[in-house]
Amino acid sequence: MLSPRVLKSASSLMCRGFSMGQMCRQGKAPDMAEGNTFLLVSNVRNRLREIVGASTNWKDHKQALTERASLSQYLAQSQDELPAKTMKDSAIEAHLPLGTQPALREKYLNYHNSVRFGRILEDLDSLAVLICYSHTWNKELTRSPLSIVTALVDKIDMRKNIIYPDCDIKFTGHVTWVGKTSIEAKMHMSQYHNGAYTDVLDATFVMVARDPENKRAAFINPLIPEGPEEEAIFQQGEINKKRRVELSTASLLKVAPTAEERTLVHNLFLNTLDTRRVSFHSRILPPNSVWMEDAKLKGLEICHPQERNIFNRIFGGFLMRKAYELGRANACAFAGCRPTVVAVDDILFQKPVEIGSLLMLSSQVCYTEGMHVQVRVHTEVLDPLTRQHSTTNVFHFTFHVEKEVPSVVPQSYGESMLYLDGKRHFDETMRTQS
């Protein structure tokens, strides 16, 4: 990430101010005082609507889509036609003044008097899109011809377990890597508490650029690193891309497990055999264990226009919030105590969710170790007329709980693959946080 001084200077280009009233020693940050200008998180989505010319009324959405189709003439035919941008061009600072504006807390407050992490996921998704539009913005146009959408949440690493509901929050971020049609954006979240900002989380999102009708890929401005620090950041983006390709190639949906993983699955199978009977079908549950089949939780959402994004499909942040809340509830029911999120990784957006869809969410505890619970949430849309199911997203969450949890035990081959996939995600999370 770029230094805070650079981020603050760049973010002032699209900011507005407000009066914060009297200062509070605990949670009101000095840089949110009267006279300072900054972008409010609550205004990010309004800013995005202005950039793309999105309709604010559902009844006008078809007309707005027709008008956006005419912007195709402004798309570049190759990346060489577009001017190079720097990381400073996309640098943004956005504030969530939970300390200085108490009226905002109701939306973010949970039952345990802390911040709803699902709401933070929504804000991160909107901010990532705005960062990418800042990188691709053409001053000669009043509206952007690009449709920039979330393709992948690569990683969200928690640096702090507690997010206070009455302390100001600051988001900073910028573009860190660019391909021909894809963009990586990194964001940092900090919170003002006891007189100083402390780190809360770091997030990496991968976005893709599409044409105005969101039908095909579109070229974006190249990124030119300035100086050794930015060159290192850009190279890390290249490493991240290579790692994503390697993980996709090694997916258990494509290739067989490794020899070590096959041995692990076979040992799990042997531990469930009833030694009193010579049968492959007679299975018993080992002590302090739970069958994977009994570690599920499901939900259903009817996708209303209220939750639409600027392109009149369901907002990706809304999907992340619903998946997180279901996954957290699953971890809580499984462990019997309150879980805290440790990491979110490898959230894949395979297909957009249309307004009016029946969204089915299925959460599965797929791996446990010590005081950690790994949860996978699979979402799909159901067409009630054809009864066809289409996968839209897959989410992975790592939770920490306050006591040792039972082991989950697969019975079928498919469950064994879910178990191994969960173990892979958990091991990667532990590796990156060590």
Side-chain angles (χ1 to χ4, degrees), residues 412-426:
S412 67
Y413 186 81
E415 287 182 344
S416 297
M417 296 304 100
L418 285 176
Y419 181 92
L420 293 178
D421 187 58
K423 186 178 187 304
R424 287 182 178 184
H425 281 90
F426 175 77

Side-chain angles (χ1 to χ4, degrees), residues 40-55:
L40 287 175
V41 167
S42 58
N43 290 333
V44 169
R45 293 182 74 175
N46 290 332
R47 176 65 182 133
L48 289 172
R49 290 189 183 96
E50 295 173 0
I51 289 173
V52 302
S55 170

